[in-house]
Amino acid sequence: MRILITGAAGFLGSHLVDRFLAEGHRVVGMDNFITGSRDNLAHLAGNQQFEFYEHNVSRYIFVDGPLDGVLHFASPASPIDYLRHPIPTLKVGSLGTHNTLGLAKAKGARYLLASTSEVYGDPQVHPQPESYWGHVNPVGPRGVYDEAKRFSEAMTMAYHRFHGLPTRIVRIFNTYGPRMRAHDGRVVSNFVVQALSGEPLTIYGEGRQTRSFCYVSDLVDGIYRLFMSDRVDPTNIGNPTEFTMLELAELVREMVGSHVAIRHEPLPVDDPKVRKPDITIARSVLGWEPSIDLRTGLARTIDYFKRVLPKGQ
Ligand code: UDP
């Protein structure tokens, strides 16, 4: 197959590019580097199966030749990124989704939308099944991301129902691993980078809020299976093992072997108090579940940051 991946230079996009190439497909990558990095694709230089276009997918997209799949992964995706780029975030989730859907329709390609656990907002149902409609503040600072992704899901379903486009929607829960940016503000990268640099770990609020962390190769495997499956309705992919931020901080300190202090900072506005995917559907429909526990994944992530940090990333 020949597949377009938007956001190809990002954390998840670049791992997906690798997976599709490893499965023998040809990949066209697209990114405007608003938050992506050329370093994430540097290892593909000279690979004949990979083409790359620098382009903002919120503008009209032109791709020459046939396409069998379009995976829309372009978007700022960490809270500090979408707070820094609120309007590009809204545009890539609305105009970018419309353009990529239109491209998939024109090429007769299968479409997969990268959605998010943020569609559940600060959830009042725990863990979150796909049938839960969520609890989102549309006008809060996170609304630019949450509502753009909710609009993306509605648009994707409209293309499926009205145009008969074969579509898939993955709701991605917190994911970590190599190629995260050291300073994108996510909790795992923050704690690992802080511990390696001998700085205090910044816990927002009391640290009793929870998240469930999925290692990137598990996530990519779930997405690949979903893309190949027939499932149209949204599907949670994430690791259901839940931790408080205090527990995560303790584990990072122990694994880095660092005695850094913990510094409490204010809790961001609308920060979800709990988050944990119900993956019953992924298990039964895709035969997927995560296989890498937090300790194993963190060890690999710590090794990665040990390698890249001296280069100033
Ligand atoms: N968090 C924290 N310290 C940090 C960064 C994040 O305590 O240095 C908390 C944040 O308030 C949230 C959780 O960790 O409750 C996960 O934050 P992240 O930005 O990784 O992603 P989110 O799940 O909120 O989108």
Side-chain angles (χ1 to χ4, degrees), residues 77-80 82 117-118 142 174 184-188 190-191 194 201-205 207 209-211 213 245 265-268 271-272 275:
S78 81
I80 63 163
Y82 50 75
S117 56
E118 284 282 322
R142 299 175 88 105
N174 294 65
D184 83 353
R186 286 197 180 87
V187 68
V188 172
N190 271 8
F191 286 178
Q194 288 161 347
L201 306 192
T202 51
I203 290 192
Y204 302 162
Q209 70 271 40
T210 68
R211 294 292 186 274
F213 300 102
M245 296 311 101
E265 294 190 359
L267 198 60
D271 196 88
R275 185 183 288 154

Side-chain angles (χ1 to χ4, degrees), residues 207-259:
R208 296 190 201 289
Q209 70 271 40
T210 68
R211 294 292 186 274
S212 313
F213 300 102
C214 188
Y215 188 68
V216 62
S217 59
D218 278 337
L219 186 95
V220 164
D221 187 49
I223 292 171
Y224 189 80
R225 287 177 192 230
L226 177 63
F227 181 76
M228 293 299 174
S229 79
D230 291 334
R231 181 171 164 86
V232 169
D233 288 332
T235 306
N236 290 340
I237 299 286
N239 188 318
T241 316
E242 190 180 13
F243 295 86
T244 67
M245 296 311 101
L246 278 167
E247 287 167 339
L248 178 69
E250 275 313 321
L251 186 59
V252 170
R253 278 209 295 208
E254 179 209 311
M255 291 187 65
V256 173
S258 147
H259 300 291

